[in-house]
Amino acid sequence: MPGVTTSPPDWLPAVARSPLDDKLGIEIVDYSPDRLVATMPVAGNEQPYGLLHGGATCALVESLGSWAAVIGAGPGRRVVGVELNASYLRAATAGTVTAVCTPVRRGRTLSTFLVEVTDDRGRTTASARLTCAIL
């Protein structure tokens, strides 16, 4: 995987990428279990006023946090999001946003992550918390 700092675990299925991730242009660039990182272009993901759509931001957060939960849960386990809370702090209008996901708690049945989204200038555009159930 070009540009990836930490590769995904060998047991993670290569075909597990979401069609929505493809549509939004979400790319995971670091699979470190303690700090997953993904990028997403603003272009093509704007709302009518030219700002990055909040739904696209939430999809980025959900995708990245879900991958973090899967990696933490280990092989053969599945995860589903059960709560997503996002605050939009600054508009992104161009370039790429970067999401950094860090664990708050990894449990046997629930895992919670914080995700900070920043613009190309390093300014925080959104802050979110995702909780996933481990199946």
Side-chain angles (χ1 to χ4, degrees), residues 62-84:
E62 178 102 20
S63 290
L64 188 59
S66 293
W67 280 113
V70 165
I71 290 169
R77 308 290 302 271
R78 295 180 325 175
V79 303
V80 294
V82 295
E83 181 185 29
L84 173 62

Side-chain angles (χ1 to χ4, degrees), residues 72-133:
R77 308 290 302 271
R78 295 180 325 175
V79 303
V80 294
V82 295
E83 181 185 29
L84 173 62
N85 174 288
S87 296
Y88 307 107
L89 308 171
R90 175 185 297 275
T93 57
T96 301
V97 292
T98 300
V100 176
C101 175
T102 55
V104 174
R105 180 180 187 278
R106 289 187 182 121
R108 286 179 290 123
T109 59
L110 291 175
S111 289
T112 300
F113 301 89
L114 292 179
V115 181
E116 183 174 306
V117 183
T118 58
D119 64 13
D120 285 334
R121 294 171 57 187
R123 301 175 302 181
T124 303
T125 61
S127 180
R129 183 188 69 244
L130 175 72
T131 299
C132 292

Side-chain angles (χ1 to χ4, degrees), residues 25-84:
I26 296 171
E27 294 290 333
I28 298 179
V29 297
D30 191 346
Y31 283 86
S32 170
D34 293 322
R35 188 180 182 273
L36 266 76
V37 180
T39 61
M40 181 178 72
V42 173
N45 295 317
E46 305 99 337
Q47 41 94 311
Y49 299 108
L51 311 175
L52 178 61
H53 196 291
T57 300
C58 284
L60 172 62
V61 167
E62 178 102 20
S63 290
L64 188 59
S66 293
W67 280 113
V70 165
I71 290 169
R77 308 290 302 271
R78 295 180 325 175
V79 303
V80 294
V82 295
E83 181 185 29
L84 173 62

